[in-house]
Amino acid sequence: MTTTATAAGPAAPAGLKERLPGFLRIPHLGLVAVIAVVVVFAASRTDKFLTVTNLLNVSRQVAVVSIIAGGLTLLMTAGGMDFSMASITGVGTAVAAQLIEGGSPVWQAVLATLGLATLLGLVNGVAVTFTNVAPFVVTLATATLLDGVKLLVLGGFSISIGLSLSWLGNGAVLGVPTLVVVAAAVLIVIGIVMRHTVFGRDAFAIGGNEDVARLSGVKVARNKLVLYAVAGLLSGLAAIMLVSRLAASSPETGGLALQLEAVAAVVIGGTSLAGGRGTVVGTALGVVLLGIVGNVLNLLQISSYYHLVATGAVLLVAAVFNSLHKSGH
Amino acid sequence: MTTTATAAGPAAPAGLKERLPGFLRIPHLGLVAVIAVVVVFAASRTDKFLTVTNLLNVSRQVAVVSIIAGGLTLLMTAGGMDFSMASITGVGTAVAAQLIEGGSPVWQAVLATLGLATLLGLVNGVAVTFTNVAPFVVTLATATLLDGVKLLVLGGFSISIGLSLSWLGNGAVLGVPTLVVVAAAVLIVIGIVMRHTVFGRDAFAIGGNEDVARLSGVKVARNKLVLYAVAGLLSGLAAIMLVSRLAASSPETGGLALQLEAVAAVVIGGTSLAGGRGTVVGTALGVVLLGIVGNVLNLLQISSYYHLVATGAVLLVAAVFNSLHKSGH
Amino acid sequence: MTAPLDNAVEAPLPVAPPVIRVRGVVKRFGGAAALKGVSVDFRPGEIHALMGMNGAGKSTLVQLLAGVHAPDAGTIEVGGAAHDHLTPRQARRLGIATVPQRRELVLGLTVAENVMLGALPGRGGFVDRRAMRATARDALRQLGIDLDVDRTVADLTVPEQTMVEVAREVNRGGDALILDEPTACLGAEDAEQIRALVRRLSAAGKAVIYISHHIDEVLGLADRLTVLRDGEVVAGAAAGEMDERSLVRAMVGREVVSVRPPRRAPRPEVGLALTGLRDGRFIEHLDVEVRRGEIVAVLGPAGDAQSRLFDLVSGRRRPGGGAFAVDGRAVPFGRVGRSLGAGLRCVTGDRRTLGLVPELSVDENVMLAHDRLHRRRLHFPAALARRAAPLREAYKVRALQRNPAVGRLSGGNQQKVLLAKWLGTDPAACFLEEPTNGVDVAAMAEIHALIDALADRGVAVLLASSSAEEVMRLAASVLAVRGGRAVAGFDVDAVTREELIAAVLGGALREPQPRPALQGDPT
Amino acid sequence: SDDAGGGDEDAITIGFVNGSTTEFHTCLEQSVQDAAADLGVEVLVANSQQDAAKELSNIEDMIAQQVDAVVVQTVSADALEGDIAKANGAGVPIFLTSIVADADPEALLGAVETDLHGIGAAAAGFVTEDSAGAPVTAGIIAGAPGAASDILVGGFKDAVGDNVEVVAEQPGMFDRATAQDVAENMIQGNPELDYVFVANEDMAFGALNAFQAADSDVKIVANNGTDAGLQAIRDGEFAATVANSPYVLGQMAVDNIVGLLEDQEVEPIQSNPFTLITADNLDDAPGYCG
Ligand SMILES: Nc1ncnc2c1ncn2[C@@H]1O[C@H](COP(=O)(O)OP(=O)(O)OP(=O)(O)O)[C@@H](O)[C@H]1O
Ligand SMILES: Nc1ncnc2c1ncn2[C@@H]1O[C@H](COP(=O)(O)OP(=O)(O)OP(=O)(O)O)[C@@H](O)[C@H]1O
Ligand SMILES: O[C@@H]1[C@@H](O)[C@H](O)OC[C@H]1O
Ligand SMILES: [Mg+2]
Ligand SMILES: [Mg+2]
């Protein structure tokens, strides 16, 4: 079933996309359409939705997950997977909070967190690169392990950091929340790296066919180590952003829920689980869709049991629409 | 990175296995070794471990997850993935409990649950087979949706079924817990199906190369539908077993934690995420390892903060050991 | 540095020193040896052909040089330094470029990116797209290929992919270029482009290692021949010292003859008919009728039209228009089950993607279609082995282990498995795309005989091939296809090889001959 | 479904950010809805699904809807500072339910605390009293590692009598199935176990299944006071439970908020009462869910 993802499905009603008029062959049209439908629906039901405050809220709410999703997009494009990113984020928030509470200067805490997170990513990278274990398996194991580490670092309790990172968590640059500025910058950089740098193109090559990449002289092992380290670094950045936003770290911070949200955003954004294909734009759209859906469900006062139902349904519809469109390629 | 799993990585520290003497080339030796180490360690620390009661306890504790893991093994071998199995199980427990509490005869409730679960699996199958969406994405979406459905069915409350399924949940056949008998029977049947039926070999063929399977006359679409329906049916069976064991369904029953346990067991058992390779024996060993680790942590009174750390570490070690060994093939 | 004990391959002084010296290399797979102590030298300015039957160890030797595998014993000396093994990057650094037997490209990337893979030109880490595209275009132009370098490789035909790969390796420079069956799935024109390039490179001083099963190609190209049999060097000589007979005898251990047998007249019933078939730019209009017991060939460049034909008749894909019938009964397009049910068996030219399940065993692959067609329910390896054995024997499938995963077989043996899988299912009609792709001379003769036997049993055989020789050996009538159109029809007995090639390449165009079994309609 | 809150200037609109979808949370939500309906207060509800970041997002969404106050059943048991800062920054007062740590009262509109330490201690009191000085053993099936469970368990361990030896303590993750596994293993490791304290009743029922299957007559002391839990005491399946009703909690929260918003004399920080329930005082238990 991996192969079909690449090639057009055999005897498929082949290339729906091919039959579309040119102007409709926008990438991610399916996802954009679903977002548009949700937006129009929400706007017609409540005037609270299309307000600047609300849209800034949504953007701030998705800032953290978009960092993780962005890193995952790059990594998955190279055929990798890091299921532990949000757990690294969890550990990162705990370490940062513990250090700040313990009196370390904020910049030191931030650097230590980023350094540790990068190191944890590198450990994943070493395990993935130098053993034959599938990356999903390695990082599922380290995710479990790191969730435990987070508890140990926190000692089970929430740790507050007061206002020490409030410039980041609550600040704004020209009216745009600082978190959103950081997230946008990171996504843009990842997008540029993926499209325009040797490293990014090598990532596509590794994801597309690792053996060929290796035999062609791409430094596959080194690139993979770097990719996992970058995933770790971005998880660390997400940790700093998250702890700045929450002004605290607690046992419920980071971990599986955040991870699955990031994975969901990446995959409905069209990045292939098998590697070799992915775009940051798709991921950003996926993140935005999930953020908007959560927001709209709140604004429209949908009962919480239906939140899960609605979120699942929208995910499904978005994925199907996006793939109908993509099937040509 | 999918490719390497299949072919021996070029210039990999290739074929440790090939260099081993013949008698050491037992399948799953790595996993067996890790289990053996855990068992020896536990037995040396407490005489409570290697007792009949305790081993029966462990086997009862893993019965439910082994059903899900067994179904997943078959499905993943065919290149599929069902991340919603444990959510179907959750819905199944809710429906069964609701029906039994509402006065339906137990057999009716059981049949209705199995039927519904099969139908839900089939819905996954239809979405996977007739769209281009990756099965992980489809079933991640349906898992979310079904978790909501479970809450709706339960109305947010636990529903108790008293003793109505206690023959299953607490019964024994010749001293062996009925749940264990059922689980063993199911795993054996799945194993036989995978090894000795054309349907099972078709699953390997589909997972290995779907196009080739189709061109060879395998009815790929039909087989996939059946495979997902079977995954649903087994999730339903797991639901009946779980509700019989708990004598109740509650909002926390089934869902993600159970799913991840099943996935972890399957993948450390050596079944490939990319399809084309898998064994029920590996999965059973994976399930047993996870069960034993949980049991040992309890018996040795390890502090709860270290549970996740220990589980993650054992998973990692087991996966690495198992793959060192497997790399030859 | 030198291997004084091994004088056999040592040449007198004036000859330039070897670029690569292989000394006593051994390579085992799961206990059995694919190479049993091979020593050979590769010299600059020399085209050195490696010859041998399927499974002889040619690709394995190449893989040791490319750093894919590490030898279990022996050394590889490059530029004077001895190595007990090479990594892929080392091999590249030492100037060894390799075009492997399996097409190895990153399908999702563009032609330019694939040509420059692993050495993307960059400025400060950013890809210099202009330089990348220009270099790629130049590299392709050297091969006489005019290919849009921005196309995604997944959309290319197999020959186009081959060219991209050769271009990539040639562009790498270095002192040694290895080509493992580069022309196996190329038509005459493309193959000639490759050979011309090889000659140029060799003249410029490169050591070229060339593997091919086309004896005449090798004899016309190589300066030196080394023959491997069962992992051992059994002969090594300058090209002039060996002719076709001695070469084949060295490879196979006996003589091989493959001639067209006298054939009965085909039966009157039409076994396979394609009417008015068209599909995009690949097939513009095609009418073919193949009678029971007849072999009709569609001759054209490998790839585009042929693999499209496979897709259409196998049910993998629906055409733009047309109709198709087996034994006089219409078969719907796009339905694999219906094509099979009608008794049609289609052998793909792309065995890796569409032919075999690499992880499954040889036996399972051999019986994959057969058992499904016979609606078997149960599977027992021992019984399967018994059922597969006659076919494995008939098609001479050779492996180091008894029943390994089919992906572990040598390329030619995989091809034999593919043929056994389909031709052992008692077909009413067959579509064969490049059926002898990559098989050795002996096996080719045997496969030809098996196809003859099919026709004798009354099977309608439609052969799609890029080889004029093969077409003339097997078919009674030939339809030459060019640019998606049938341009001419020929009776094999009334045409020369040169005329056939000319028709395909667009030389002298002959009017299609009016023959009942075969109509090429240019409009 | 039309625009909620803000429309009618006189009516109070409160936002309720629930923490999860357990039975406890379901009853709390129902209670908040019922109390608000009684007082003519409009409620907007959101659920954080046990995710700290989602909790903050939910609070932001409430602020965007211009509610008069936000009630937060926090996912972290000890309040998250960011939640409070965010709401205060927007001029929307925040009211917490179920918190255990001392959040800065100045920053809050108010709170109804749940004295988890006291609840644990009450459970311990039962064990101490019931064992009447005889040397006994007790096990603990905790929840998920974290503040809520740790404080509850800490309360038990701090208060339990010297004659009671705590021989086992393992996490049941607030999940019935896990608790059942843990209980099976616990009774295996400690066949002579006399008492077990279980962090909630859903888990206690799982433990009950395990003990019954093992023919063990361990006395179960639980926490919650659900109808099913009280029935279990009546049936002799549980020895005791500490009733602390989410329904009462929700009522208190809404009553206090309305009072505070209307500037009445209300003590801003209050405690949700809890009662140790045994077979002798079943009628003293407050309704768990109304
Ligand atoms: N659409 C396509 N067109 C041409 N070639 C393709 C196509 N899809 C896949 N391939 C070939 O198949 C390879 C990947 O497919 P697949 O996953 O089936 O092979 P694999 O299992 O990785 O290979 P193996 O097991 O033989 O090493 C690619 O490297 C490419 O050569
Ligand atoms: N990875 C592997 N595992 C097991 N056996 C292998 C492996 N690779 C090659 N072999 C075996 O080694 C032998 C030599 O194979 P090789 O590919 O070198 O043959 P070849 O001369 O290139 O043949 P062909 O002409 O068919 O390409 C074959 O019997 C093959 O089955
Ligand atoms: O009853 C438990 C409650 O006390 C805690 O706060 O959350 C989890 C619930 O199961
Ligand atoms: Mg494959
Ligand atoms: Mg070869």
Side-chain angles (χ1 to χ4, degrees):
Chain A
M1 303 191 180
T2 13
T3 336
T4 5
T6 328
L16 180 71
K17 190 180 174 185
E18 280 166 23
R19 277 188 253 129
L20 290 174
F23 73 95
L24 276 180
R25 287 192 219 156
I26 307 164
H28 312 294
L29 180 65
L31 203 44
V32 171
V34 174
I35 292 176
V37 168
V38 173
V39 166
V40 168
F41 174 76
S44 74
R45 291 307 203 81
T46 168
D47 50 11
K48 300 269 161 57
F49 178 69
L50 275 187
T51 63
V52 173
T53 335
N54 189 55
L55 297 181
L56 286 182
N57 270 353
V58 174
S59 66
R60 207 184 304 108
Q61 289 160 12
V62 299
V64 170
V65 74
S66 66
I67 299 280
I68 296 178
L72 201 52
T73 305
L74 176 57
L75 185 58
M76 282 173 61
T77 299
M81 169 46 102
D82 188 347
F83 220 68
S84 74
M85 286 185 76
S87 298
I88 296 180
T89 299
V91 171
T93 62
V95 169
Q98 196 61 274
L99 288 175
I100 291 174
E101 209 212 18
S104 301
V106 169
W107 67 267
Q108 269 184 21
V110 168
L111 283 188
T113 304
L114 295 179
L116 175 70
T118 309
L119 192 70
L120 291 174
L122 199 58
V123 170
N124 280 331
V126 168
V128 167
T129 308
F130 298 111
T131 72
N132 279 320
V133 188
F136 174 77
V137 184
V138 167
T139 56
L140 184 62
T142 52
T144 310
L145 202 155
L146 291 171
D147 286 345
V149 170
K150 173 181 67 186
L151 287 172
L152 289 171
V153 173
L154 288 175
F157 285 84
S158 302
I159 296 178
S160 287
I161 61 162
L163 295 176
S164 47
L165 275 168
S166 144
W167 59 270
L168 175 61
N170 294 309
V173 180
L174 303 174
V176 183
T178 313
L179 290 176
V180 177
V181 173
V182 173
V186 167
L187 289 187
I188 289 170
V189 169
I190 294 174
I192 291 174
V193 166
M194 286 176 67
R195 274 177 172 237
H196 295 297
T197 68
V198 173
F199 177 75
R201 300 319 290 176
D202 283 350
F204 276 92
I206 295 170
N209 195 331
E210 186 175 334
D211 292 348
V212 175
R214 181 178 294 110
L215 293 174
S216 305
V218 174
K219 290 182 178 136
V220 172
R222 199 196 60 179
N223 278 20
K224 279 196 194 180
L225 292 178
V226 173
L227 284 163
Y228 280 92
V230 166
L233 173 63
L234 290 173
S235 307
L237 178 58
I240 299 300
M241 292 167 67
L242 188 54
V243 78
S244 80
R245 183 166 146 74
L246 299 177
S249 171
S250 74
E252 291 77 19
T253 305
L256 202 56
L258 180 59
Q259 182 67 41
L260 281 177
E261 203 179 330
V263 171
V266 173
V267 290
I268 63 167
T271 295
S272 160
L273 286 161
R277 204 179 53 213
T279 64
V280 170
V281 175
T283 296
L285 289 172
V287 166
V288 166
L289 176 64
L290 287 174
I292 289 181
V293 168
N295 177 258
V296 168
L297 291 170
N298 277 348
L299 293 190
L300 297 186
Q301 278 301 298
I302 311 291
S303 138
S304 62
Y305 298 166
Y306 288 100
H307 279 212
L308 291 168
V309 175
T311 308
V314 171
L315 268 178
L316 194 57
V317 170
V320 169
F321 265 64
N322 214 32
S323 85
L324 280 184
H325 197 63
K326 189 175 59 195
S327 64
H329 186 70
Chain B
M1 303 190 181
T2 12
T3 337
T4 1
T6 329
L16 179 72
K17 188 180 175 185
E18 280 169 20
R19 277 187 252 131
L20 290 174
F23 73 95
L24 275 181
R25 289 193 217 153
I26 306 162
H28 310 293
L29 180 64
L31 203 45
V32 171
V34 174
I35 291 176
V37 168
V38 174
V39 165
V40 168
F41 173 77
S44 73
R45 291 306 202 82
T46 167
D47 52 9
K48 302 277 160 53
F49 178 70
L50 275 187
T51 64
V52 174
T53 338
N54 191 52
L55 297 180
L56 286 182
N57 274 354
V58 175
S59 66
R60 208 187 302 110
Q61 287 159 13
V62 300
V64 169
V65 74
S66 67
I67 299 280
I68 295 177
L72 201 51
T73 305
L74 176 56
L75 185 58
M76 281 173 61
T77 299
M81 171 45 104
D82 188 348
F83 220 70
S84 75
M85 285 184 77
S87 298
I88 296 180
T89 299
V91 171
T93 62
V95 167
Q98 196 60 278
L99 287 175
I100 291 173
E101 208 213 17
S104 300
V106 169
W107 67 267
Q108 269 183 20
V110 169
L111 283 188
T113 303
L114 295 178
L116 175 69
T118 309
L119 193 70
L120 291 174
L122 198 58
V123 169
N124 280 332
V126 168
V128 167
T129 310
F130 299 112
T131 72
N132 279 320
V133 187
F136 174 77
V137 184
V138 166
T139 56
L140 184 62
T142 53
T144 310
L145 201 155
L146 290 171
D147 287 345
V149 169
K150 173 183 65 187
L151 291 172
L152 288 170
V153 173
L154 290 175
F157 294 98
S158 300
I159 296 177
S160 172
I161 62 160
L163 295 176
S164 46
L165 275 169
S166 140
W167 59 269
L168 175 61
N170 295 311
V173 179
L174 304 174
V176 182
T178 314
L179 289 176
V180 178
V181 173
V182 173
V186 167
L187 288 187
I188 290 171
V189 168
I190 294 174
I192 290 175
V193 166
M194 286 175 69
R195 272 177 171 241
H196 292 299
T197 70
V198 169
F199 176 77
R201 303 315 295 176
D202 284 352
F204 281 89
I206 295 171
N209 190 331
E210 191 175 329
D211 289 349
V212 173
R214 182 179 293 111
L215 290 169
S216 304
V218 174
K219 298 204 165 65
V220 171
R222 198 196 59 181
N223 278 26
K224 280 197 193 177
L225 291 178
V226 173
L227 285 162
Y228 280 92
V230 167
L233 173 63
L234 290 172
S235 308
L237 178 58
I240 298 300
M241 292 165 68
L242 187 55
V243 79
S244 80
R245 179 162 154 76
L246 300 178
S249 171
S250 66
E252 290 80 33
T253 305
L256 203 55
L258 181 60
Q259 181 68 42
L260 281 177
E261 201 179 331
V263 171
V266 173
V267 291
I268 64 169
T271 295
S272 160
L273 286 160
R277 207 178 52 214
T279 64
V280 169
V281 174
T283 296
L285 290 172
V287 165
V288 165
L289 175 63
L290 286 174
I292 289 182
V293 168
N295 176 259
V296 169
L297 290 171
N298 282 341
L299 290 187
L300 297 186
Q301 278 302 305
I302 309 296
S303 145
S304 64
Y305 285 75
Y306 290 97
H307 280 212
L308 290 169
V309 175
T311 309
V314 171
L315 269 180
L316 193 56
V317 170
V320 170
F321 265 63
N322 213 33
S323 85
L324 282 184
H325 196 63
K326 191 174 60 194
S327 64
H329 184 69
Chain C
M1 285 295 163
T2 49
L5 296 181
D6 203 348
N7 297 325
V9 280
E10 207 70 10
L13 255 179
V15 182
V19 176
I20 303 172
R21 285 167 181 254
V22 175
R23 282 291 171 276
V25 294
V26 174
K27 178 65 195 170
R28 287 187 207 92
F29 291 111
L35 294 176
K36 305 169 179 165
V38 169
S39 299
V40 55
D41 288 356
F42 300 108
R43 296 180 186 281
E46 203 171 69
I47 301 172
H48 193 144
L50 283 181
M51 303 295 292
M53 298 222 285
N54 297 130
K58 304 177 296 293
S59 297
T60 304
L61 179 57
V62 160
Q63 285 167 327
L64 299 186
L65 299 179
V68 177
H69 294 307
D72 295 304
T75 58
I76 301 164
E77 289 174 41
V78 191
H83 304 263
D84 60 1
H85 76 280
L86 297 175
T87 67
R89 287 181 59 76
Q90 249 177 337
R92 290 218 169 276
R93 236 190 349 260
L94 295 168
I96 304 174
T98 310
V99 177
Q101 184 167 9
R102 289 188 351 183
R103 294 288 75 82
E104 296 280 25
L105 293 164
V106 182
L107 297 176
L109 297 186
T110 65
V111 169
E113 284 174 321
N114 269 285
V115 170
M116 305 301 291
L117 194 65
L120 290 174
R123 266 193 244 119
F126 285 83
V127 177
D128 182 347
R129 269 180 212 276
R130 184 181 305 201
M132 175 180 82
R133 299 170 72 241
T135 316
R137 214 177 286 120
D138 283 353
L140 284 163
R141 206 169 288 142
Q142 277 207 53
L143 277 163
I145 299 292
D146 186 24
L147 198 59
D148 178 357
V149 294
D150 294 327
R151 280 175 72 191
T152 305
V153 164
D155 300 335
L156 302 183
T157 62
V158 172
E160 283 170 337
Q161 292 186 353
T162 305
M163 293 304 194
V164 170
E165 228 182 318
V166 174
R168 177 177 79 201
E169 297 306 323
V170 170
N171 183 58
R172 285 301 165 74
D175 304 329
L177 175 66
I178 307 175
L179 298 155
D180 192 351
E181 301 196 32
T183 53
C185 40
L186 296 189
E189 191 184 14
D190 291 329
E192 188 45 48
Q193 295 279 11
I194 301 260
R195 286 190 294 267
L197 177 78
V198 163
R199 286 192 190 97
R200 282 205 304 279
L201 294 170
S202 147
K206 253 188 213 272
V208 178
I209 302 169
Y210 196 91
I211 300 177
S212 169
H213 288 292
H214 302 304
I215 308 282
D216 44 355
E217 169 177 62
V218 167
L219 289 175
L221 184 68
D223 303 312
R224 175 164 293 278
L225 300 166
T226 294
V227 179
L228 290 176
R229 201 153 90 200
D230 294 331
E232 284 170 302
V233 174
V234 292
E241 295 165 22
M242 285 185 111
D243 61 4
E244 178 169 347
R245 270 177 75 120
S246 57
L247 180 55
V248 169
R249 181 166 272 288
M251 286 165 56
V252 187
R254 61 179 164 83
E255 271 165 52
V256 174
V257 278
S258 180
V259 287
R260 218 164 122 221
R263 200 162 286 153
R264 275 172 275 163
R267 300 201 225 143
E269 317 93 82
V270 174
L272 176 62
L274 305 177
T275 324
L277 199 62
R278 62 187 163 77
D279 193 35
R281 66 190 169 87
F282 295 104
I283 298 170
E284 293 205 351
H285 186 105
L286 192 65
D287 288 320
V288 186
E289 277 186 7
V290 188
R291 286 181 284 178
R292 289 286 221 146
E294 186 183 33
I295 303 178
V296 173
V298 178
L299 176 67
D304 41 23
Q306 292 181 6
S307 49
R308 200 51 76 106
L309 258 184
F310 170 84
D311 286 355
L312 299 181
V313 295
S314 69
R316 210 176 155 246
R317 190 185 166 96
R318 291 188 190 91
F324 133 61
V326 175
D327 268 344
R329 276 195 303 273
V331 179
F333 284 109
R335 305 275 299 278
V336 173
R338 296 292 292 274
S339 288
L340 290 171
L344 178 64
R345 306 290 177 256
C346 302
V347 175
T348 174
D350 184 0
R351 61 174 172 258
R352 228 187 123 198
T353 331
L354 298 177
L356 301 170
V357 184
E359 294 93 343
L360 290 186
S361 71
V362 171
D363 287 345
E364 280 202 74
N365 272 284
V366 166
M367 300 310 292
L368 189 59
H370 186 277
D371 281 1
R372 288 357 174 237
L373 293 169
H374 287 76
R375 297 184 196 293
R376 277 186 185 273
R377 296 264 179 265
L378 296 181
H379 167 94
F380 295 99
L384 184 79
R386 269 197 303 281
R387 274 180 281 130
L391 282 167
R392 287 179 66 153
E393 193 41 48
Y395 287 83
K396 302 267 191 317
V397 177
R398 297 273 179 270
L400 290 180
Q401 291 84 15
R402 210 208 64 75
N403 187 26
V406 87
R408 308 204 156 230
L409 294 190
S410 78
N413 281 298
Q414 292 188 15
Q415 184 68 20
K416 297 182 206 164
V417 170
L418 177 66
L419 286 165
K421 165 185 168 181
W422 284 117
L423 303 186
T425 55
D426 200 12
C430 282
F431 173 82
L432 308 177
E433 182 188 356
E434 306 285 2
T436 53
N437 179 354
V439 305
D440 63 46
V441 269
M444 186 178 306
E446 280 152 15
I447 289 169
H448 285 163
L450 286 161
I451 294 171
D452 289 335
L454 275 184
D456 280 346
R457 290 209 311 269
V459 178
V461 178
L462 180 59
L463 171 71
S465 177
S466 57
S467 153
E469 291 78 9
E470 178 153 279
V471 160
M472 295 188 71
R473 160 67 184 77
L474 286 171
S477 54
V478 185
L479 192 61
V481 177
R482 193 168 81 228
R485 288 161 178 259
V487 290
F490 299 98
D491 185 326
V492 161
D493 296 325
V495 71
T496 65
R497 178 177 173 275
E498 287 64 36
E499 281 172 314
L500 273 180
I501 292 175
V504 172
L505 296 185
L509 240 174
R510 279 173 39 162
E511 280 306 300
Q513 296 179 344
R515 276 178 39 83
L518 179 66
Q519 284 143 21
D521 184 349
T523 38
Chain D
S1 64
D2 359 344
D3 47 329
D8 185 348
E9 276 308 310
D10 300 340
I12 294 176
T13 302
I14 59 173
F16 175 52
V17 176
N18 207 349
S20 181
T21 47
T22 70
E23 201 164 318
F24 172 90
H25 294 91
T26 301
C27 291
L28 179 62
E29 188 167 320
Q30 218 161 76
S31 161
V32 168
Q33 302 266 24
D34 291 354
D38 287 348
L39 294 173
V41 170
E42 199 171 342
V43 192
L44 307 181
V45 179
N47 197 302
S48 310
Q49 317 280 7
Q50 281 165 357
D51 175 356
K54 183 97 168 72
E55 180 170 291
L56 185 54
S57 298
N58 285 335
I59 292 170
E60 287 169 346
D61 288 347
M62 289 299 178
I63 294 169
Q65 296 176 86
Q66 295 154 9
V67 295
D68 296 302
V70 189
V71 181
V72 182
Q73 163 67 32
T74 175
V75 299
S76 310
D78 43 354
L80 287 182
E81 214 138 289
D83 292 1
I84 300 168
K86 175 70 63 177
N88 285 343
V92 177
I94 199 159
F95 190 101
L96 301 176
T97 54
S98 298
I99 50 153
V100 294
D102 39 1
D104 178 9
E106 293 300 302
L108 295 174
L109 176 61
V112 182
E113 293 182 329
T114 296
D115 180 4
L116 287 174
H117 193 273
I119 291 170
F126 170 80
V127 173
T128 312
E129 193 164 313
D130 191 63
S131 56
V136 292
T137 58
I140 297 169
I141 299 178
S149 172
D150 288 3
I151 295 169
L152 185 67
V153 167
F156 182 87
K157 290 198 287 196
D158 289 349
V160 83
D162 292 339
N163 62 316
V164 183
E165 189 192 355
V166 176
V167 294
E169 177 192 339
Q170 288 291 295
M173 308 306 287
F174 290 124
D175 170 49
R176 189 179 186 129
T178 310
Q180 189 161 334
D181 293 353
V182 167
E184 283 171 353
N185 296 335
M186 196 174 273
I187 200 67
Q188 165 68 17
N190 308 276
E192 307 302 322
L193 198 65
D194 298 302
Y195 294 89
V196 66
F197 172 51
V198 190
N200 76 18
E201 283 171 6
D202 204 31
M203 291 197 294
F205 279 107
L208 177 65
N209 291 338
F211 295 145
Q212 283 177 343
D215 277 331
S216 156
D217 51 4
V218 180
K219 291 187 178 173
I220 297 173
V221 184
N223 161 38
N224 285 151
T226 63
D227 293 347
L230 299 178
Q231 184 61 42
I233 293 180
R234 199 168 288 125
D235 297 344
E237 292 172 330
F238 292 173
T241 194
V242 184
N244 57 322
S245 160
Y247 204 81
V248 172
L249 177 65
Q251 296 278 350
M252 287 174 71
V254 176
D255 285 349
N256 292 358
I257 283 179
V258 172
L260 289 161
L261 287 176
E262 292 176 348
D263 290 327
Q264 295 167 11
E265 283 285 303
V266 181
E267 190 57 46
I269 310 287
Q270 298 186 9
S271 266
N272 183 21
F274 58 86
T275 322
L276 178 75
I277 303 292
T278 65
D280 302 332
N281 66 338
L282 278 163
D283 295 338
D284 293 351
Y288 192 74
C289 221

